[in-house]
């Protein structure tokens, strides 16, 4: 595997793991960007943080990388409403 690919995988993995940890360190920040129509804000924040960490770790394991990548894609789609809400609200 080329060095650039390894570096990009490790960098992306670290990013997702760190972002997932932040869901547990400062959940209030993530709760404030959630649209009001989504229920169970704190549970959703903790759940998305758990999956960010899990899928980020899966990227580091060659046999699990494919599922981890698809998991992250689906997770990013799931949190898209919060990102839109953040973009259009203070």
């Amino acid at each position: 595997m080329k060095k650039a690919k390894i570096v990009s995988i490790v960098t992306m993995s670290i990013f997702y793991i760190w972002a997932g940890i932040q869901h547990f360190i400062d959940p209030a920040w993530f709760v404030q960007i959630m649209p009001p129509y989504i229920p169970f804000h704190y549970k959703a924040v903790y759940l998305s943080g758990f999956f960010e960490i899990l899928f980020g770790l899966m990227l580091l394991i060659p046999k699990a990388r494919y599922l981890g990548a698809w998991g992250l894609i689906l997770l990013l789609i799931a949190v898209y409403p919060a990102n839109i809400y953040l973009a259009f609200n203070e």
Side-chain angles (χ1 to χ4, degrees):
M1 193 178 329
K2 294 181 181 180
K3 284 187 179 184
K5 184 175 180 180
I6 293 171
V7 169
S8 65
I9 289 170
V10 170
T11 302
M12 190 166 64
S13 177
I14 290 170
F15 169 78
Y16 281 109
I17 293 168
W18 179 249
I21 290 170
Q22 290 302 308
H23 283 72
F24 294 95
I25 293 174
D26 189 13
W29 188 87
F30 293 95
V31 166
Q32 74 180 354
I33 68 167
M34 291 185 65
Y37 60 83
I38 295 177
F40 310 112
H41 286 175
Y42 277 93
K43 288 180 183 178
V45 166
Y46 292 133
L47 191 63
S48 63
F50 168 79
F51 281 111
E52 263 187 303
I53 294 168
L54 175 66
F55 296 143
L57 288 170
M58 288 174 74
L59 291 179
L60 297 173
I61 304 166
K63 289 186 177 184
R65 188 169 296 144
Y66 181 81
L67 289 177
W70 274 106
L72 284 169
I73 290 168
L74 294 174
L75 180 65
L76 290 172
I77 292 169
V79 300
Y80 191 69
N83 294 325
I84 294 298
Y85 184 78
L86 173 64
F88 289 103
N89 295 284
E90 293 182 24

